[in-house]
Every structure is written in structure tokens, then in C-alpha cells.
Amino acid sequence: MSDSSRDTAEGAGWGTADPGEYQRLMPTEVQKISWLDPRMLWAARNGVLASWFGDPTGRTRSRWVAQRAAAGAPGDKVIERTDPDRFSFLVIGDTGEGDDPQYAVVPGFLKAGQDTSFAVLASDVIYPVGSADDYGTKFFRPYQDYRAPIYAIPGNHDWYEELGAFMRVFCGDAPPLAPEPKPRALTRAWWRSLLWRRPRSTDGQRLDEARKLRSDPAQQAVQPGPYWAVDAGPIRIVGIDTGLLGTLDAEQGAWLREVSRDPRPKILITGSPLYVDGEYHPCEIEGGGTVDEIVRDPAHRYVAAIGGDIHNYQRYPVQVEGRTIQYVVSGGGGAFMHATHTIPRVDVANVTERDFRCYPLRGDSLAFYSRLYGRRLRLRRFFTLTEAEAAAVVAERLGIPLTRSQQATTRITRRTRLVAGLLGAGRRPDRTARFRLPVRKIYTSFFSPSSATYSPPFFKCFLRMDVFPESIRLRCYAATGNRAQEIDPPVEDEVTIPLV
């Protein structure tokens, strides 16, 4: 097994002059997504409008579900598979930017997944707004050689054009929804409708051609809607749609409670992680209750809850009434990398730094962003930190030991500390509770990197889940964009989850 980032700097992808061959898979012309582009922000305006004028996704989702039920989809929304008691599947989140970071994941994804039964896409299948014409280069082309079905749950970006393209691709070529009646003038819904982005009438003209890239019968799957359950071998996998704002409507909440009563052990796949960045987000359900209340109920037998949306890997093993539920963030499938160095010293739900895992390591994240902003601001000599300097200053600020097993202590200078502070490197939460959130949003959300501004290592990842009658083995594989990690994808984290 190859070195991981926890072993060596080379295992993290630093210092290599041997780039991977993933670019051979890419189209000759690649759309560059930049979230600094005002046109891109305007195209993705529906999330902001929903937060200002009310979120219509629950009502729209109900209409999609009703349409699928009328077309013969199972009422319980359960997909029955015939997998044996021992099988494997992949989980990959936030994939569809269609550029280098997404395609850099593909070689390792195919290699680690060559014997898997299916894959699940957890959130944001297509950026920036889920358009049907983007599925060719951002879904069908990159995964054309994955020889098994792919199921998906939508993320907020898939909802920016009312989920029409997602439903066409994953839900039996669902026809467009009939338009809703116009709202009364001067109401909140009326103001929202004036600015709301809807699919273009010409969207999807290239979709039939794109489907040919995944046309083998072994690759086909039709799911009953944007939320579903899959019965596979000894487990049930439950996928929920958290829409634009990360919540569940009452109808989906009632379904989740019902489908969770099945006696099999379960894994939840959600577009909004329940634990992330050292914080707890239980996910509210319209009408009362939360998703995590359902997950924690011992009668429901959830053993893991995996969420996308945040573009890195995190794992929180939370003790709940004498058992452990693994809360996982797995959104590193292709979009720009969300920083991990802004995560404070972890102390949530009795999970501490000793138990917490993340990828990239915080030091690698800080080194990555220091190079990025050194280039962007033309201040490379000031901003750029080596991976050793970044790891050392993060360890100092958090009061934790160095993570990389062969890492030597590096002298920390005033410049190193200043750069770490400017780039929002985490500190103890009791010291920076008010300062941490604004810094994280400014430096790692609003100024998110795009493929036009950075190069390997990309610090992407995906999960392989090996299911046995008595346990599930979860492994997080890394993809850096370098050839060494394509040939032998390193395992960044591994845990065995008991089912009995």
C-alpha cells in the first residue's frame, strides 16, 4: 500500500514532478468555474432568494415525487437490489465542476471501485446550476468507464434550476413539471418569482447524445425520486434531499421516519452533513424534529451518516447510548477544496482531536491556501509556506502534536504565524469563537479557488464501503492529481463499523 499524507509529504502529493494522466480523459475545452465571477453568482441566485423570500423547494419536491408515483415508482421509494451479504460500493460527493480536480479523481475511483456493485453521488452532481447540458462533461464522460449503476441525491446546486435535469438523468427521464399558478402580487412569493432562475427551454438538447457514454445495461439505474432507500445485502442505505437550504420538508420527514423503522442496519446519505467543522447541525424537519433525532434512535439502527456539500473529508465517531455512530463528511469528489486548517480544535459530542480525522491534513490545507493566495495576490515570498512550516504552526495554534508520522519540528517565525492568522488557521474554540466564522467565510468560501488558479495536489477523495454480515469497512481514498496516487490510491482513513 502506498504512503498516505499521514506518512510522508510525498504521500500527500507534494514535491512531485510526475503529473497524473487524468487529463487524457478530459474534453479538449473545459469550462472554468470561478465563484468570483459576478455572472456565476447571479446564475446561482436561487439559494439567496429562497433565504430572503421563502424556500419553495419542499413544494416543488412534492410535485416531483407525485409525478414519479403516477409514473409507477414504488410508493415506499425503496430500490430492491440482489447484492449478497458481502459486497462493496463507493460514495463520492460534490463532483460536477468538470475540470481538473474532478477528472483527477477518476483514475483512483475506477481502480478502487472496479469490483464494486454501485456508487452513490452525495450532493451537487452538477455545478454551477445543475443544467442538463452540463451532464455530458460533468457526469457521463468522467464516469463512462465505471461499469456499475450510480444513484444520486441532489445538492443545493442541482436545485438552482428546480431539479429538472437531475430528474431527467436519474429518475426515468421525468418530464418537466407544469408551471405553478402565478402568486398574488406584492407577496414574498411574487417578489421571489420575479428574480427566480428557471431552466432554459433549450436546455438538454445534447443530453441524449451524452447518455450514450453510460449506455451499457450494467450501468443503468432508475431511482424513484430525489430521495430514496436502497436495500442491498444486509443493510439499507437511505438517501435524503436537503434542497436549497439544508432542511427537510414535512412529507420527506414523514417518509424518513417510516423507512427508518425497517430492522436492518442503516447508513444515511445526506446533502448536508450533521457534524462538520467541529460543529453540530442536526438538520431540521418542517413541522418539528430533526434528522439526527431519527439517526440517533436505537430502534432505527443507523451506524453512519455521510454528508456532502463541504468539499473535504471529516469523520466524527460519536457515542450514542453505548454505541458509536460514524458521522462523515465526504464532499471531496471534484469541486474546489474547502479548507480544513480553519477547523478549530475539535471538542464536540465528546469527540476530541484524538478521535477526529480529516483530509487534507490541516497543515497541508494551510500550505495549499498559502500558495494559492501568494499567486493570486502576487505576494509569493510573503504568503507561501512549506508544508512543514504550515504543519508546525497549525500544531502550535491548536495545541496538538504533528500529524505526519515522519515530520520533524520546524522553526516557526513571526511571518509564519502572521500568514497562518491571515488565512484563518484554526485556534482553540474558546479563544476565537467570534473571530473564526467570519475568517472562514471570507478566506475559504467567498474567495474559493477555481481550476484556473491552482494545480496538483488537489486533495480530492472518495469512499469505498466494504459490507460484510457483521461489519462495514469504510476507507477514504485520496486523489491528488499526481501519477503516484493514480497508480496506487492511498488510504487516508479507515474504520470498521460493527453491524451486530
Side-chain angles (χ1 to χ4, degrees):
M1 182 179 296
S2 64
D3 285 346
S4 74
S5 70
R6 291 181 170 269
D7 300 317
T8 63
E10 292 75 17
W14 296 115
T16 181
D18 190 10
E21 299 184 3
Y22 67 88
Q23 288 186 331
R24 296 187 306 166
L25 307 172
M26 299 174 63
T28 53
E29 294 186 9
V30 176
Q31 176 195 18
K32 300 294 186 180
I33 293 178
S34 173
W35 297 105
L36 293 177
D37 187 340
R39 294 171 298 178
M40 199 69 66
L41 296 175
W42 175 246
R45 63 189 179 272
N46 283 3
V48 175
L49 294 175
S51 65
W52 288 353
F53 301 112
D55 185 1
T57 55
R59 185 172 62 251
T60 305
R61 183 187 296 114
S62 294
R63 296 170 66 213
W64 280 123
V65 170
Q67 183 197 80
R68 290 291 296 132
D76 59 5
K77 303 172 186 62
V78 175
I79 301 166
E80 301 282 356
R81 293 184 52 86
T82 58
D83 302 288
D85 284 347
R86 290 173 169 81
F87 75 99
S88 302
F89 67 100
L90 300 174
V91 179
I92 184 169
D94 299 84
T95 53
E97 284 204 356
D99 50 17
D100 291 60
Q102 179 178 10
Y103 279 86
V105 181
V106 173
F109 180 86
L110 295 176
K111 186 162 188 175
Q114 59 188 350
D115 61 340
T116 55
S117 298
F118 58 89
V120 178
L121 297 189
S123 181
D124 290 337
V125 180
I126 301 293
Y127 293 95
V129 294
S131 297
D133 281 333
D134 285 337
Y135 270 85
T137 56
K138 300 178 182 182
F139 174 73
F140 289 106
R141 185 184 182 107
Y143 310 119
Q144 62 182 315
D145 292 326
Y146 180 65
R147 310 311 297 175
I150 297 177
Y151 305 102
I153 58 168
N156 57 311
H157 288 266
D158 301 303
W159 270 101
Y160 286 159
E161 287 193 347
E162 299 184 331
L163 208 65
F166 179 96
M167 296 296 295
R168 292 176 66 179
V169 171
F170 294 104
C171 302
D173 208 15
L177 289 176
E180 286 193 292
K182 291 184 179 180
R184 289 188 297 117
L186 302 181
T187 62
R188 295 175 70 204
W190 182 81
W191 287 110
R192 183 183 64 224
S193 68
L194 292 180
L195 300 173
W196 195 254
R197 179 185 175 91
R198 293 177 177 82
R200 303 183 312 274
S201 60
T202 58
D203 191 36
Q205 292 184 346
R206 299 189 297 271
L207 191 55
D208 287 342
E209 186 67 24
R211 290 181 197 272
K212 296 177 182 178
L213 297 173
R214 280 187 52 85
S215 58
D216 189 282
Q219 297 173 310
Q220 305 311 300
V222 176
Q223 58 191 59
Y227 58 92
W228 41 260
V230 172
D231 285 347
I235 65 170
R236 170 168 282 189
I237 304 163
V238 180
I240 59 173
D241 169 18
T242 55
L244 282 171
L245 301 182
T247 60
L248 261 63
D249 60 282
E251 179 181 316
Q252 185 179 183
W255 170 84
L256 177 61
R257 291 185 177 94
E258 180 62 32
V259 80
S260 297
R261 295 190 181 102
D262 184 273
R264 277 166 282 207
K266 298 174 191 69
I267 296 173
L268 181 74
I269 308 290
T270 169
S272 298
L274 304 181
Y275 284 89
V276 60
D277 293 349
E279 299 170 350
Y280 178 47
H281 301 275
C283 188
E284 294 182 0
I285 299 174
E286 181 186 19
T290 69
V291 168
D292 198 41
E293 289 175 357
I294 297 171
V295 170
R296 287 169 175 259
D297 188 329
H300 295 158
R301 298 190 67 192
Y302 279 93
V303 298
I306 303 171
D309 189 53
I310 303 301
H311 307 165
N312 53 45
Y313 172 80
Q314 302 173 42
R315 181 169 63 83
Y316 302 81
V318 177
Q319 298 293 318
V320 179
E321 298 184 12
R323 60 201 174 96
T324 301
I325 301 177
Q326 300 290 341
Y327 290 88
V328 177
V329 178
S330 182
F336 69 85
M337 186 262 283
H338 275 133
T340 58
H341 67 265
T342 58
I343 301 173
R345 182 183 175 111
V346 171
D347 186 6
V348 60
N350 293 320
V351 177
T352 65
E353 282 291 328
R354 186 181 68 177
D355 311 306
F356 171 69
R357 294 291 183 271
C358 69
Y359 176 79
L361 298 177
R362 290 181 176 101
D364 290 331
S365 171
L366 178 58
F368 174 95
Y369 269 86
S370 75
R371 286 162 168 76
L372 172 70
Y373 284 96
R375 290 195 301 268
R376 178 170 290 168
L377 300 176
R378 294 183 173 86
L379 293 171
R380 295 191 188 199
R381 292 185 63 184
F382 172 73
F383 264 101
T384 302
L385 304 178
T386 67
E387 57 272 20
E389 289 173 327
V393 74
V394 166
E396 178 189 75
R397 289 171 72 88
L398 292 177
I400 61 175
L402 290 169
T403 307
R404 192 163 289 145
S405 58
Q406 298 177 355
Q407 204 160 40
T409 302
T410 300
R411 188 172 71 91
I412 302 172
T413 65
R414 290 176 60 188
R415 180 188 70 89
T416 304
R417 291 189 178 98
L418 179 58
V419 170
L422 289 173
L423 295 181
R427 297 188 71 176
R428 297 173 185 267
D430 56 335
R431 296 181 182 178
T432 58
R434 289 179 294 178
F435 180 64
R436 173 168 46 87
L437 182 59
V439 165
R440 182 171 59 204
K441 287 189 175 294
I442 291 170
Y443 284 100
T444 67
S445 294
F446 184 72
F447 292 113
S448 299
S450 70
S451 61
T453 57
Y454 70 99
S455 55
F458 295 126
F459 298 111
K460 300 289 94 186
C461 60
F462 61 92
L463 307 183
R464 176 179 167 121
M465 312 287 286
D466 298 308
V467 180
F468 308 98
E470 68 285 349
S471 65
I472 298 173
R473 181 177 60 191
L474 180 155
R475 285 181 286 183
C476 172
Y477 283 91
T480 67
N482 292 315
R483 181 161 172 75
Q485 285 77 39
E486 286 186 351
I487 295 173
D488 188 7
V491 176
E492 290 291 336
D493 186 32
E494 180 173 340
V495 64
T496 297
I497 305 170
L499 297 181
V500 179

